[in-house]
Amino acid sequence: MSQAPAIPKATRRRHDREIVALAVPAFGALVAEPLFVMADSAIVGHLGTAQLAGLGVASALLTTAVSVFVFLAYATTAAVARRVGAGDLQAAVRQGMDGIWLALLLGAAVIAVVLPLAPGIVDAFGTSVTATPYATAYLRISSLGIPAMLVVLAATGVLRGLQDTRTPLYVAVAGFVANAGLNAALVYGAGLGIAGSAWGTVIAQCGMATVYLTVVVRGARRHGASLRPDVAGIRASAQAGAPLLIRTLSLRAILMIATAVAARLGDADIAAHQIVLSLWSLLAFALDAIAIAGQAVIGRYLGAGDAVGAREACRRMVQWGIVTGAALGLLVIAARPLFLPLFTGDPGVKDAALPALLIVAFSQPVSGVVFVLDGVLMGAGDGRYLAGAMVLTLVVFTPVALLVPTFGGDLTALWGAMTLMMTVRMLTLWLRARSGRWMVTGATR
């Protein structure tokens, strides 16, 4: 990509307009998602420490279970965008319906597992005796909303593929407001306690899924697409999502290993690690918004058979990723003195977090490239390569991270290993992007 001719100014401006139009609403929707858990925590926290601890365990389990299936959004976005680029809106919406049916099937399977096994799952995480009943109750009730959560993921992918990131933003904001209101009313007004918080979340998620389904069904009728489940289409959606599932599981494993290593370093280090990780995750939302734009735009260009346009869009998005990453890094450096006191007053935790935050700041341009190219290759439907690259990254990261305590390293060394992980990801993704092998054109890959 580096040896390609410069992108004409008019083309850059067109790409910039596309990126902004898709990325800004996507960022708003991404930020709204974690606010669900924050609202639940703020309301349940006033019930007592045991209830808040139970919510913490259950929400972590629930978030993990749902995030594993994020491929429903990614794979659907790429597949729908290709058909949009090919000019076949009927097939695009039909592809989206296959993803939604797959989400419903997976959601039903998860409920079948979680409902009977909830007590054992909670116990496996070493939950205290006082918090266990609350965690079990919240997990069981909230699991009823998992099909709706997965439908939201798949339907979000449909709309992103149709180049619409505004509707997901509106639905996410409305869902957050409804969730907060329902939680307050059911927890305190109805006196249901933590169960009221769980029911409020279920109702809000079901409401969001209903809105999404209404929008997609209207689109299906408008373009003459069938709403019936198609076994072949559902199977194809699952096959497209399988490599992305491997990628997601590998990434989750990396984050879990990092947390486990931080826990071995001591209380101050694990506390500091949670603070740094929370900021790292927040920064990821901004960069992921550009990646989402990449999924939608690249899929559309390749579906239209425009490989040159796809390559130019990729180059421009990488530039956006580098600049955005650098700006975020400078923001982290400037805001460090203000950021840490929001989370802790412990001098030991601050001392552990400060140098780690510097590493996070300096690595943001690398993260910018990683997120953008990740989105580009997802938009191209290059899931197999992404899965293999992430497994390789996991293999490189694991021994390095595990050796940090062995050689007397601290949290700064651990986040150095995290930066190594992102650098390996950048190299593998950059090599693939430069090769051009991802640019397979046509309505299907």
Side-chain angles (χ1 to χ4, degrees), residues 325 329-330 332-333 355-367 419:
L330 292 174
V332 170
I333 293 173
L357 283 175
L358 275 179
I359 292 179
V360 169
F362 288 124
S363 67
Q364 284 308 295
V366 173
S367 297
T419 301

Side-chain angles (χ1 to χ4, degrees), residues 260-345:
V261 170
R264 292 175 59 189
L265 297 176
D267 290 347
D269 287 285
I270 184 61
H273 176 73
Q274 289 303 112
I275 294 172
V276 175
L277 185 63
S278 67
L279 177 61
W280 188 78
S281 300
L282 179 62
L283 298 173
F285 285 130
L287 299 173
D288 203 26
I290 304 175
I292 288 170
Q295 293 172 31
V297 170
I298 294 299
R300 192 188 75 233
Y301 273 117
L302 294 178
D306 187 357
V308 174
R311 183 179 287 277
E312 289 178 343
C314 174
R315 289 178 60 206
R316 189 57 177 162
M317 286 178 191
V318 168
Q319 293 169 2
W320 269 76
I322 294 172
V323 171
T324 304
L328 291 173
L330 292 174
L331 182 62
V332 170
I333 293 173
R336 280 188 312 153
L338 302 174
F339 176 75
L340 286 175
L342 295 175
F343 291 87
T344 183

Side-chain angles (χ1 to χ4, degrees), residues 128-434:
S128 68
V129 175
T130 54
T132 292
Y134 299 113
T136 302
Y138 190 93
L139 182 60
R140 274 181 164 161
I141 296 170
S142 294
S143 68
L144 300 176
I146 287 179
M149 296 178 192
L150 299 189
V151 166
V152 167
L153 284 177
T156 299
V158 176
L159 295 179
R160 288 173 180 170
L162 293 171
Q163 317 297 295
D164 176 9
T165 56
R166 290 183 178 272
T167 300
L169 170 61
Y170 301 148
V171 176
V173 171
F176 165 70
V177 173
N179 178 68
L182 286 166
N183 269 258
L186 294 176
V187 171
Y188 298 111
L192 296 180
I194 195 171
S197 177
W199 282 116
T201 299
V202 170
I203 294 170
Q205 291 288 350
C206 288
M208 292 172 65
T210 299
V211 173
Y212 273 122
L213 287 175
T214 300
V215 173
V216 174
V217 167
R218 285 178 179 174
R221 289 175 176 169
R222 183 165 59 251
H223 298 294
S226 173
L227 299 175
R228 295 179 180 178
D230 176 65
V231 175
I234 295 172
R235 185 185 301 115
S237 294
Q239 290 172 344
L244 295 181
L245 175 60
I246 295 172
R247 168 202 168 274
T248 301
L249 290 173
S250 299
L251 179 57
R252 299 296 299 187
I254 287 171
L255 298 178
M256 289 176 64
I257 290 169
T259 300
V261 170
R264 292 175 59 189
L265 297 176
D267 290 347
D269 287 285
I270 184 61
H273 176 73
Q274 289 303 112
I275 294 172
V276 175
L277 185 63
S278 67
L279 177 61
W280 188 78
S281 300
L282 179 62
L283 298 173
F285 285 130
L287 299 173
D288 203 26
I290 304 175
I292 288 170
Q295 293 172 31
V297 170
I298 294 299
R300 192 188 75 233
Y301 273 117
L302 294 178
D306 187 357
V308 174
R311 183 179 287 277
E312 289 178 343
C314 174
R315 289 178 60 206
R316 189 57 177 162
M317 286 178 191
V318 168
Q319 293 169 2
W320 269 76
I322 294 172
V323 171
T324 304
L328 291 173
L330 292 174
L331 182 62
V332 170
I333 293 173
R336 280 188 312 153
L338 302 174
F339 176 75
L340 286 175
L342 295 175
F343 291 87
T344 183
D346 187 329
V349 175
K350 289 182 178 180
D351 289 343
L354 277 171
L357 283 175
L358 275 179
I359 292 179
V360 169
F362 288 124
S363 67
Q364 284 308 295
V366 173
S367 297
V369 175
V370 168
F371 276 89
V372 168
L373 291 181
D374 210 36
V376 165
L377 297 184
M378 283 183 188
D382 203 12
R384 289 188 178 182
Y385 183 84
L386 288 171
M390 189 60 78
V391 170
L392 173 63
T393 303
L394 173 61
V395 170
V396 173
F397 170 78
T398 300
V400 175
L402 294 178
L403 287 173
V404 168
T406 302
F407 287 96
D410 56 8
L411 188 66
T412 304
L414 175 60
W415 275 93
M418 289 286 285
T419 301
L420 171 65
M421 177 269 293
M422 294 299 289
T423 303
V424 172
R425 289 186 68 190
M426 182 184 71
L427 291 174
T428 57
L429 297 175
W430 178 78
L431 288 172
R432 184 64 167 182
R434 186 175 183 179

Side-chain angles (χ1 to χ4, degrees), residues 9-174:
K9 183 178 293 186
T11 303
R12 287 202 308 270
R13 288 176 178 173
R14 186 179 76 249
H15 290 319
D16 290 345
R17 287 194 297 269
E18 287 182 326
I19 294 168
V20 171
L22 291 169
V24 172
F27 174 68
L30 288 169
V31 171
E33 292 174 7
L35 293 179
F36 271 79
V37 176
M38 291 180 63
D40 289 359
S41 299
I43 293 171
V44 172
H46 292 286
L47 294 174
T49 301
Q51 288 91 332
L52 183 58
L55 172 65
V57 172
S59 63
L61 290 169
L62 195 66
T63 301
T64 299
V66 174
S67 65
V68 164
F69 298 110
V70 73
F71 69 84
L72 289 167
Y74 294 159
T76 303
T77 297
V80 171
R82 275 185 175 271
R83 287 163 175 78
V84 169
D88 192 346
L89 291 178
Q90 182 185 70
V93 179
R94 174 66 258 181
Q95 180 73 43
M97 286 303 306
D98 292 335
I100 290 173
W101 279 112
L102 176 61
L104 287 170
L105 292 173
L106 291 173
V110 173
I111 288 179
V113 172
V114 173
L115 276 180
L117 299 180
I121 295 172
V122 170
D123 286 339
F125 276 75
T127 312
S128 68
V129 175
T130 54
T132 292
Y134 299 113
T136 302
Y138 190 93
L139 182 60
R140 274 181 164 161
I141 296 170
S142 294
S143 68
L144 300 176
I146 287 179
M149 296 178 192
L150 299 189
V151 166
V152 167
L153 284 177
T156 299
V158 176
L159 295 179
R160 288 173 180 170
L162 293 171
Q163 317 297 295
D164 176 9
T165 56
R166 290 183 178 272
T167 300
L169 170 61
Y170 301 148
V171 176
V173 171

